[in-house]
């Protein structure tokens, strides 16, 4: 121990002459532009496919019918309702959103004394952060549900012109699995196309049993951990 | 080097089964609970002390106040659904969970994360390390009554959290390292703001060096106190700065380089006296090394290229049967994930190997014997343990 | 890793080596040979660091698997020893005298899987759980959701609709 | 399932310093058994309003980090966000605190300690639930070891949503709590006294190892 050890702690006093580091008005401080805050939903763009509900590991999302939105071909008429008593702001629902209608604003303050008020349907229940410019949006070049559409080979026009060979060459088994892998098993097309219901999202597994184990989707809505539906546990034995 | 020589004069005799013969009714011993709600405890945990006078004769760590059963919860979530919950395992430094989980999944599924993503990951991990060390320095000084250090380091940490926020979109739980890559690139002007933050942290560390490490009180209470015998390293699985302060250069970044650490220049920081002071000093120097590493990473990092590998659809992603162990060097030591898959879309078993697990249980119980009650807090903080990661 | 496996195979009846990475392998060891193998690895081969000790529940095969992961710092290699034994009255030899820290792992395994390690210190004290009254929670046959539903209340007011069913009902109410 | 009490909590005979033997029943002897009662406000409204105004400006938080959210308390205590300028400070012991912040999930083991801490606090006392986990289980909604709804076990005056809420959101929450207190609406402690049996039965339903007195103020 030296004289320095006794004296140097007093250098802390130099901070007396420093500008304060406190944020003058923390209550109105904006979050970063990418901040994952409260949800927004463009109800016009949303088709109610329920993929956000499927991927939510917290069972925070319910699909509920909304007044003024009709069920029509390509739109189930349901819209996601989010329970903020469950949400963890991981933004997987935003990443997985098929139409990119679900986004997150960078608003972050919501205080209530009634815990039942934290269930809301973004885009339908009006909130002060609706139409916020900043916030988290899924980058356009990243998808977590399958890659781009597998290209189906066709014959070149030069070959087509003098032959009767089938122009569209079809998929190989691997390509077909990749293509089937893009299905999110939302059930929307299957519900309207009643006649082809047998040819629905569960077909790849039955058509290609040999390679089905690799990555083909099993029947509809598999990985969901539904909050209120009958639940299945992978540990069921 | 000062070696641990226990003074057993006050120590109670051992019974036949190896436990201590402590007769509480005799009035010679007193049971004292430190925690879970106690200012001198590192988090929500407690230590049951048996004291004789003001000397501790036996200490038992009690954990479980933060147990959420992650390893069970992950067994019923698909691989992508596990990704948001793993970071909750360790609150002050969550990124290692994300990295180790992602790396374990990639290892078993044969996916290679792109080069740019690896640099981003290394950047995040080093930023998280700085956060964790800043938190530690405040706690270590606070445990000895130097409150001002905590005020400074928390401010510096908060600046780093701002950088995290603009990069990842969250302050504490970043949920940024997806299996296969990372979520996004750097925002515009990040380098410059990062450089300002690093400068601020360096100037804070200079003050901390003057006020904490050259403080007569701090030196008096920490030099020669709480020594880890190098022979205990293997017995108790001691890793990280606790081992490096004992003169053993255990550093996963050097021993088994992961991500981009092969391309970075650094030397593991070691100390030799293995007491509380040396451990604090090793962490302080390690923090400054991380500052340097961040500068290197930002200089060498590719600015374009893919951020995430080509992945199968996460909604029905299955991984073939296998098992693996992936480790990284977090601010407290070796952090690792042991992942077993069975060919389904869900992990069969995940085991998180956090360094706090061994440090706070077996090692602390061994070291706490024969020290003064007032030094318990300093000793516990000096092992740098985070309770949520012990019990998961 | 291969060379080590060959050296070990001369001494102990080991299973096949699963080489996950060049520096990480897993090998199955009969329960009776676990201790000599661990001792050999620790004292002769330099695998002095017990990284972790954990269990995997193979419910379908009615087996527990214990994984002892050892690390050799000088070569940077890890080897995992797998020991499988039946789930009924599961017990295993304690290794707390080889690595004192193993006692903590064994306490956790006792509580979370119900595997007994006779002789391990403080094995029967409560570790993480307090007042637990069900089967050990990390076993595969323990359903955490069912337990949570039975013991804790969810907030009411949640209901969801399956988009496919909802569409069918709305568009074809008569089941066309 | 009945759990046996720990040896130090069982009824036992002790020999005093004067040589007289007497019986000690730890769970009865050490604590006051008087149950909480509803505290009525001052008779004159303006006096009560003045009290409430004063109360709202001295929120003393118990520094008990029960879960993740506690990590955002540290920035609040330090100069950057500086909650002290809003009349908020942290105290190490429940006796000096009047605001219990449940920072996120509560495991059953912590719930037991949190109840002890809450009961030892002086009235009027307030509880703030922080983060999703206190509202409906949050991301631990299927965990076997965490409670899902905090309001089953203790009266909650305010919820701040987020996982975890930012320090700014916490400050906004505390400002809202002040408004509630000034309006005389933060009546959690009285609610606890009124529905004491209901709260106790809920608590005992999840805490199987109940080795504490029913009320320990």
């Amino acid at each position: 121990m030296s004289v320095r050890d006794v004296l140097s702690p007093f250098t802390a006093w130099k901070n007396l002459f420093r500008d304060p580091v406190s944020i003058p008005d923390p209550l109105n401080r904006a979050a970063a532009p990418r901040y994952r805050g409260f949800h927004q939903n463009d109800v016009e763009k949303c088709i109610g496919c329920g993929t956000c509900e499927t991927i939510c590991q917290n069972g925070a999302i319910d699909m509920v019918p909304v007044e003024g939105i009709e069920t029509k071909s390509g739109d189930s008429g349901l819209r996601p309702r989010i329970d903020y008593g469950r949400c963890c702001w991981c933004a997987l629902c935003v990443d997985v959103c098929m139409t990119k209608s679900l986004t997150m604003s960078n608003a972050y303050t919501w205080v209530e004394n009634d815990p039942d008020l934290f269930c809301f349907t973004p885009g339908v229940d009006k909130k002060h952060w609706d139409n916020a410019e900043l916030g988290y949006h899924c980058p356009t070049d990243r998808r977590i549900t399958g890659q781009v559409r597998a290209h189906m080979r066709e014959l070149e026009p030069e070959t087509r012109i003098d032959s009767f060979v089938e122009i569209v060459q079809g998929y190989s088994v691997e390509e077909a699995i990749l293509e089937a892998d893009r299905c999110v098993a939302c059930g929307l097309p299957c519900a309207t196309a009643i006649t082809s219901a047998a040819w629905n999202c569960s077909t790849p597994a039955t058509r290609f049993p040999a390679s089905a184990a690799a990555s083909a989707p099993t029947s509809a809505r598999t990985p969901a951990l539904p909050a209120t539906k009958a639940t299945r546990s992978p540990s069921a034995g | 080097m000062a070696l641990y020589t226990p003074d057993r004069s006050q120590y109670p005799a051992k019974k036949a089964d190896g436990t201590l013969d402590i007769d509480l009714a005799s009035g010679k011993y007193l049971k004292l609970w430190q925690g879970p709600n106690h200012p001198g405890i590192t988090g929500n945990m407690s230590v049951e002390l048996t004291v004789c006078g003001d000397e501790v004769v036996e200490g038992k760590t009690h954990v479980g106040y933060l147990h959420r059963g992650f390893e069970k919860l992950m067994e019923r979530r698909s691989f992508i659904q596990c990704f948001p919950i793993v970071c909750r395992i360790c609150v002050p430094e969550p990124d290692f969970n994300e990295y180790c989980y992602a790396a374990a999944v990639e290892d078993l599924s044969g996916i290679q994360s792109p080069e740019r993503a690896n640099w981003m990951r290394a950047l995040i991990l080093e930023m998280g390390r700085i956060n964790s060390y800043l938190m530690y320095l405040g706690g270590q000084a606070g445990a000895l009554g130097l409150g001002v250090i905590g005020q400074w380091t928390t401010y510096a940490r908060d600046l780093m959290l701002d950088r995290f926020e603009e990069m990842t979109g969250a302050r504490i739980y970043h949920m940024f390292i997806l299996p296969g890559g990372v979520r996004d690139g750097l925002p515009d002007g990040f380098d410059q703001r990062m450089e300002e933050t690093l400068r601020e942290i360096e100037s804070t560390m200079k003050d901390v060096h003057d006020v904490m490490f050259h403080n007569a009180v701090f030196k008096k209470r920490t030099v020669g106190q709480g020594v880890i015998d190098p022979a205990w390293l293997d017995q108790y699985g001691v890793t990280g700065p606790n081992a490096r302060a004992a003169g053993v250069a255990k550093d996963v970044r050097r021993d088994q380089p992961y991500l981009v650490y092969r391309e970075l220049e650094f030397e593991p920081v070691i100390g030799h006296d293995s007491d509380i002071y040396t451990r604090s000093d090793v962490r302080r120097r390690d923090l400054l090394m991380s500052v340097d590493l961040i500068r290197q990473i930002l200089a060498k990092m590719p600015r374009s290229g893919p951020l995430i590998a080509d992945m199968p659809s996460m909604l029905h992603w299955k991984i073939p049967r296998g098992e693996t162990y992936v480790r990284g060097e977090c601010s407290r030591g070796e952090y690792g994930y042991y992942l077993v898959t069975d060919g389904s879309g869900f992990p069969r078993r995940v085991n998180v190997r956090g360094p706090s697990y061994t440090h706070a249980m077996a090692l602390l119980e061994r070291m706490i014997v024969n020290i003064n009650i007032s030094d318990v807090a300093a000793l516990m903080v000096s092992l740098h343990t985070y309770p949520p990661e012990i019990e998961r | 890793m291969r060379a080590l496996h060959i050296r070990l195979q001369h001494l102990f009846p080991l299973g096949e080596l699963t080489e996950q990475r060049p520096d990480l392998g897993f090998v199955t060891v009969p329960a009776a040979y676990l201790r000599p193998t661990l001792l050999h690895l620790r004292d002769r081969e330099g695998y002095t660091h017990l990284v972790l000790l954990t269990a995997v529940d193979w419910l379908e095969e009615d087996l527990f698997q214990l994984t002892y992961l050892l690390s050799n710092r000088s070569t940077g290699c890890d080897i995992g020893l797998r020991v499988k034994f039946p789930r009924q009255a599961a017990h295993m030899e304690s290794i707390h005298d080889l690595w004192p820290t193993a006692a903590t792992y064994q306490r956790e395994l006792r509580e979370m899987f119900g595997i007994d390690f006779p002789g391990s210190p403080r094995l029967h004290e409560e570790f993480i759980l307090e007042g637990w009254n069900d089967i050990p929670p990390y076993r595969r046959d323990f359903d955490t959701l069912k337990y949570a539903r039975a013991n804790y209340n969810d907030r009411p007011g949640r209901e969801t609709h399956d988009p496919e069913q909802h569409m069918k009902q709305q568009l074809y109410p008569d089941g066309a | 399932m009945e759990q046996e009490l720990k040896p130090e909590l069982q009824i036992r005979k002790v020999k005093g310093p004067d040589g007289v033997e007497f019986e000690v029943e730890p769970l009865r002897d050490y604590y006051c058994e008087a149950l909480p009662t509803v505290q009525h406000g001052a008779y004159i409204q303006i006096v009560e309003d003045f009290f409430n105004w004063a109360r709202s400006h001295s929120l003393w938080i118990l520094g008990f980090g029960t879960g993740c959210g506690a990590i955002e308390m540290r920035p609040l205590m330090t100069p950057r966000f500086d909650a002290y300028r809003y009349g908020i400070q942290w105290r190490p012991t429940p006796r000096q605190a009047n605001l219990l912040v449940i920072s996120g999930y509560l495991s059953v083991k912590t719930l037991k300690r949190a109840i002890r801490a809450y009961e030892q606090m002086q009235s009027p006392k307030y509880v703030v639930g922080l983060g999703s986990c206190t509202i409906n289980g949050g991301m631990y909604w299927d965990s076997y070891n965490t409670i899902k709804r905090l309001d089953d076990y203790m009266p909650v005056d305010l919820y701040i949503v987020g996982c975890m809420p930012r320090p700014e959101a916490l400050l906004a929450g505390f400002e809202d709590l002040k408004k509630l207190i000034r309006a005389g609406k933060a009546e959690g402690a009285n609610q606890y006294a009124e529905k004491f049996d209901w709260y106790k039965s809920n608590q005992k339903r999840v805490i199987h190892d109940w080795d504490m007195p029913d009320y320990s103020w």
Side-chain angles (χ1 to χ4, degrees):
Chain A
M1 207 166 306
S2 61
V3 182
R4 189 187 169 189
D5 293 342
V6 179
L7 294 181
S8 77
F10 289 97
T11 56
W13 286 93
K14 73 175 185 229
N15 285 300
L16 271 179
F17 310 103
R18 201 180 151 182
D19 286 337
V21 295
S22 304
I23 300 165
D25 182 15
L27 294 172
N28 296 310
R29 186 164 171 253
R34 273 186 201 175
Y35 190 74
R36 294 193 298 266
F38 300 143
H39 289 80
Q40 293 166 299
N41 193 9
D42 185 346
V43 278
E44 301 301 319
K45 237 162 109 185
C46 180
I47 56 167
C49 65
T51 318
C52 45
E53 184 193 7
T54 312
I55 202 157
C56 184
Q57 80 281 357
N58 297 342
I61 300 182
D62 291 332
M63 299 305 291
V64 291
V66 163
E67 223 168 282
I69 293 172
E70 301 233 328
T71 303
K72 55 178 189 272
S73 178
D75 183 350
S76 69
L78 300 171
R79 290 295 176 263
R81 186 179 64 187
I82 303 179
D83 181 1
Y84 273 180
R86 288 275 179 84
C87 183
C88 74
W89 287 269
C90 62
L92 279 182
C93 50
V94 177
D95 282 354
V96 85
C97 183
M98 290 293 120
T99 56
K100 304 263 181 247
S101 67
L102 198 63
T103 53
M104 279 171 156
S105 70
N106 66 345
Y108 57 83
T109 309
W110 188 1
V111 183
E112 295 279 3
N113 74 337
D114 182 358
D116 292 325
L117 299 177
F118 288 114
C119 256
F120 81 114
T121 315
V124 177
D125 300 337
K126 292 290 165 246
K127 296 287 171 194
H128 67 84
W129 56 83
D130 284 344
N131 305 318
E133 286 287 307
L134 300 174
Y136 180 80
H137 304 261
C138 181
T140 42
D141 56 340
R142 179 165 58 77
R143 298 185 67 96
I144 58 173
T145 50
Q147 299 303 312
V148 282
R149 178 176 218 140
H151 181 67
M152 196 175 277
R153 281 184 306 278
E154 292 177 8
L155 290 182
E156 295 298 314
E158 296 83 54
T159 340
R160 289 181 203 175
I161 203 158
D162 45 26
S163 92
F164 290 104
V165 179
E166 191 74 47
I167 296 173
V168 182
Q169 303 261 290
Y171 284 139
S172 68
V173 173
E174 288 74 32
E175 284 168 338
I177 288 174
L178 263 186
E179 190 59 12
D181 194 36
R182 295 173 55 227
C183 170
V184 297
C186 63
L188 257 60
C190 314
T192 38
I194 293 285
T195 45
S196 63
W199 182 258
N200 68 8
C201 308
S202 64
T203 34
T206 47
R207 276 183 76 205
F208 309 113
S211 48
S215 66
T218 46
S219 62
R221 314 183 67 76
T222 309
L225 288 171
T228 45
K229 284 186 240 171
T231 45
R232 50 181 297 283
S233 162
S235 64
Chain B
M1 183 177 124
L3 271 182
Y4 178 73
T5 45
D7 166 26
R8 300 276 160 150
S9 55
Q10 290 292 317
Y11 209 69
K14 272 194 178 173
K15 283 192 280 193
D17 61 348
T19 53
L20 293 176
D21 185 16
I22 294 169
D23 181 17
L24 285 175
S26 72
K28 192 179 170 194
Y29 304 104
L30 177 73
K31 219 161 227 189
L32 200 63
W33 281 76
Q34 194 163 338
N37 170 20
H38 186 280
I41 221 98
T42 53
N44 198 351
M45 64 184 266
S46 61
V47 187
E48 179 189 357
L49 303 169
T50 311
V51 294
C52 174
D54 57 2
E55 189 179 340
V56 179
V57 294
E58 190 181 33
K60 287 180 180 174
T61 319
H62 288 262
V63 294
Y65 301 100
L66 299 168
H67 178 68
R68 292 147 277 177
F70 276 111
E71 296 178 1
K72 185 76 187 177
L73 298 187
M74 282 160 85
E75 285 174 18
R76 54 187 312 282
R77 281 159 168 77
S78 69
F79 288 103
I80 187 69
Q81 289 181 327
C82 288
F83 138 79
I85 89 167
V86 287
C87 51
R88 267 82 180 167
I89 292 176
C90 177
V91 189
E93 197 187 12
D95 311 282
F96 267 93
N97 292 290
E98 294 172 28
Y99 162 67
C100 289
Y101 173 71
V105 169
E106 285 159 15
D107 193 27
L108 283 178
S109 60
I111 290 170
Q112 281 255 309
S113 71
E115 168 89 15
R116 189 175 163 211
N118 285 346
W119 284 93
M120 289 290 290
R121 286 179 178 187
L123 174 65
I124 290 178
L125 296 184
E126 289 303 325
M127 285 165 70
R129 189 188 316 276
I130 290 185
N131 269 357
S132 175
Y133 280 145
L134 285 170
M135 186 108 176
Y136 158 80
L137 284 171
Q140 180 70 72
L144 294 165
L146 279 165
V148 70
I149 306 289
Q151 309 276 327
W152 293 345
T153 55
T154 311
Y155 169 65
R157 175 175 169 274
D158 225 66
L159 294 179
M160 195 52 112
L161 290 184
D162 283 358
R163 298 292 83 75
F164 262 125
E165 185 188 327
E166 63 176 290
M167 177 160 82
T168 65
R171 273 169 64 89
I172 305 288
Y173 295 140
H174 312 119
M175 298 179 277
F176 195 65
I177 304 177
L178 283 165
V182 292
R183 275 195 142 146
D184 219 333
L186 295 178
D188 295 336
F190 180 82
D191 294 46
Q192 193 207 334
R193 289 189 296 272
M194 191 72 199
E195 182 58 36
E196 282 165 19
T197 306
L198 293 181
R199 285 214 193 107
E200 182 69 37
I201 287 174
E202 277 176 334
S203 95
T204 306
M205 290 313 292
K206 223 165 149 276
D207 287 352
V208 168
H209 188 239
D210 285 343
V211 177
M212 179 171 163
F213 288 88
H214 280 290
N215 187 324
V217 179
F218 184 74
K219 274 192 169 174
K220 256 246 152 31
R221 289 193 61 182
T222 56
V223 173
Q225 182 72 257
V227 175
I228 298 180
D229 190 326
W232 296 353
L233 298 193
D234 280 332
Q235 291 176 12
Y236 290 97
V238 183
T239 52
N242 288 344
R244 292 205 286 277
V248 180
K250 263 191 182 182
D251 190 332
V252 182
R253 290 177 290 178
R254 174 60 70 210
D255 297 341
Q256 286 170 302
Y258 52 99
L259 293 176
V260 296
Y261 285 104
R262 263 190 200 86
E263 294 165 51
L264 301 172
E265 285 169 28
F266 67 99
E267 235 3 271
V269 177
I270 62 168
H272 293 285
D273 286 345
S274 195
D275 52 7
I276 299 180
Y277 186 85
T278 315
R279 286 201 285 278
S280 321
D281 194 49
V282 163
R283 292 191 177 105
R284 182 188 64 85
R285 285 186 284 144
D286 213 18
L287 192 157
L288 293 174
M289 192 179 88
S290 284
V291 170
D292 180 52
L293 282 176
I294 289 182
R295 290 207 174 106
Q296 288 187 40
I297 290 170
L298 283 176
K300 292 183 181 172
M301 190 165 151
R303 297 301 164 132
S304 61
L307 283 164
I308 193 158
D310 279 353
M311 305 279 287
S313 172
M314 301 270 193
L315 283 173
H316 23 70
W317 184 22
K318 292 179 178 167
I319 294 182
R321 190 171 174 145
E323 60 188 314
T324 190
Y325 176 74
V326 172
R327 57 156 69 94
E329 175 78 18
C330 76
S331 64
R332 302 165 309 290
E334 173 186 339
Y335 209 96
Y337 265 57
Y338 171 67
L339 177 68
V340 183
T341 50
D342 55 2
S344 71
F346 306 87
R348 180 79 195 195
R349 169 103 176 103
V350 189
N351 183 260
V352 185
R353 191 256 186 233
S356 304
Y357 188 81
T358 48
H359 293 170
M361 299 290 303
L363 184 65
L364 178 67
E365 283 173 11
R366 169 97 191 233
M367 292 177 69
I368 215 164
V369 173
N370 280 48
I371 68 164
N372 197 297
I373 304 175
S374 57
D375 291 329
V376 171
L379 174 73
M380 191 163 33
V381 178
S382 82
L383 295 177
H384 201 187
T385 55
Y386 289 146
E389 136 200 342
I390 302 173
E391 51 226 30
R392 307 179 292 276
Chain C
M1 197 43 66
R2 289 243 160 257
L4 172 74
H5 184 238
I6 291 164
R7 282 203 301 279
L8 283 178
Q9 257 184 336
H10 286 304
L11 298 165
F12 310 107
L14 301 186
E16 274 305 300
L17 177 77
T18 322
E19 208 169 3
Q20 179 61 31
R21 286 194 306 262
D23 58 352
L24 172 68
F26 290 92
V27 69
T28 311
V29 183
Y33 287 90
L34 172 72
R35 197 182 178 84
T37 316
L38 284 172
L39 268 172
H40 181 81
L41 281 169
R42 188 187 74 167
D43 298 337
R44 301 286 164 83
E45 298 285 351
Y47 285 80
T48 50
H49 175 41
L50 175 73
V51 180
L52 59 84
L53 159 56
T54 191
V56 186
D57 186 355
W58 297 104
L59 183 66
E60 298 84 347
E61 299 156 38
D62 208 24
L63 289 174
F64 272 135
Q65 171 191 328
L66 279 180
T67 307
Y68 297 76
L69 196 72
L70 304 180
S71 171
N72 181 342
R73 211 184 126 245
S74 55
T75 61
C77 284
D78 298 291
I79 185 162
L81 301 184
R82 291 186 290 230
V83 186
K84 293 195 176 178
F85 51 91
R87 287 175 93 245
Q88 270 70 42
H91 65 280
M92 190 63 217
E93 199 178 350
S94 169
I95 58 156
H96 68 274
D97 50 336
L98 305 185
W99 283 279
T101 188
T104 318
Y105 289 105
Q106 289 169 359
R107 265 177 82 190
E108 189 189 358
L109 291 174
R110 167 77 177 66
E111 187 166 83
M112 290 307 189
F113 283 95
I115 302 173
D116 197 16
F117 295 88
S120 186
R122 298 170 64 193
L123 191 69
H124 294 271
E125 282 178 34
E126 281 175 335
F127 180 45
I128 284 173
L129 305 168
E130 194 178 55
W132 185 253
N133 57 2
D134 210 310
I135 58 171
Y138 280 2
R139 292 195 175 200
R140 291 287 280 191
D141 40 4
F142 173 75
D143 187 346
T144 169
L145 181 63
K146 201 173 133 207
Y147 184 88
R149 288 265 154 82
N151 283 273
Y152 315 104
N153 303 330
D154 277 335
R155 200 164 284 289
R158 294 280 304 270
E159 50 151 8
T160 188
H161 301 77
D162 184 47
E164 186 176 351
Q165 299 306 324
H166 180 77
M167 268 181 100
K168 279 182 183 164
Q169 272 168 19
Q170 293 289 312
L171 295 176
Y172 313 102
D174 47 355
Chain D
M1 197 191 294
E2 276 297 304
Q3 305 260 344
E4 198 174 317
L5 284 181
K6 294 186 183 72
E8 62 262 33
L9 295 175
Q10 283 169 3
I11 302 169
R12 61 175 187 267
K13 279 223 157 63
V14 174
K15 200 170 179 185
D18 51 358
V20 182
E21 271 203 3
F22 59 97
E23 201 180 67
V24 174
E25 199 182 339
L27 285 185
R28 291 185 59 126
D29 264 12
Y30 300 164
Y31 307 98
C32 171
E33 288 175 329
L35 296 183
T37 49
V38 177
Q39 304 288 313
H40 297 288
Y43 186 66
I44 307 168
Q45 188 57 37
I46 196 159
V47 177
E48 178 66 12
D49 285 349
F50 172 73
F51 283 169
N52 281 335
W53 172 82
R55 283 166 190 156
S56 78
H57 283 286
S58 58
L59 292 178
W60 289 19
I61 300 180
L62 174 62
F64 182 16
T66 57
C68 322
I71 199 164
E72 288 287 36
M73 297 282 193
R74 198 65 77 82
L76 270 184
M77 291 180 208
T78 50
R80 190 102 190 281
F81 293 98
D82 193 13
Y84 289 78
R85 62 183 147 166
Y86 295 96
I88 298 162
Q89 65 165 322
W90 278 261
R91 304 305 301 168
T93 136
R95 302 283 184 206
Q96 300 171 356
N98 66 353
L99 173 58
L100 178 60
V101 176
I102 300 294
S103 48
Y105 63 91
L106 271 185
S107 71
V108 174
K109 204 168 173 176
T110 310
L111 174 69
K112 191 166 149 184
R113 276 77 181 169
I115 291 167
R116 281 294 281 275
Y118 178 71
E119 288 179 347
Q120 289 178 26
M121 282 161 50
Q122 309 288 324
S123 263
K125 50 193 172 185
Y126 318 102
V127 179
V128 168
L130 195 156
S132 311
C133 307
T134 54
I135 302 169
N136 197 11
M139 68 183 333
Y140 313 115
W141 59 283
D142 53 350
S143 166
Y144 51 85
N145 202 38
T146 61
I147 58 157
K148 313 302 167 212
R149 292 175 51 176
L150 182 59
D151 55 353
D152 276 354
Y153 310 101
M154 52 178 73
V156 187
D157 295 293
L158 199 73
Y159 294 90
I160 306 169
V161 83
C163 183
M164 58 212 33
R166 294 163 58 100
E168 296 97 324
L170 294 184
L171 278 179
F174 294 142
E175 289 300 296
D176 269 35
L177 180 65
K178 286 179 182 177
K179 279 181 206 151
L180 282 182
I181 295 172
R182 278 199 288 274
K185 284 183 192 157
E187 289 289 303
N190 284 344
Q191 206 184 323
Y192 194 67
E194 273 167 23
K195 293 165 71 180
F196 188 70
D197 293 336
W198 184 77
Y199 281 115
K200 276 291 155 203
S201 69
N202 279 345
Q203 292 165 3
K204 283 184 180 170
R205 202 161 76 87
V206 294
I207 303 174
H208 301 297
D209 187 7
W210 186 273
D211 58 355
M212 52 185 199
D214 270 4
Y215 190 68
S216 58
W217 54 271

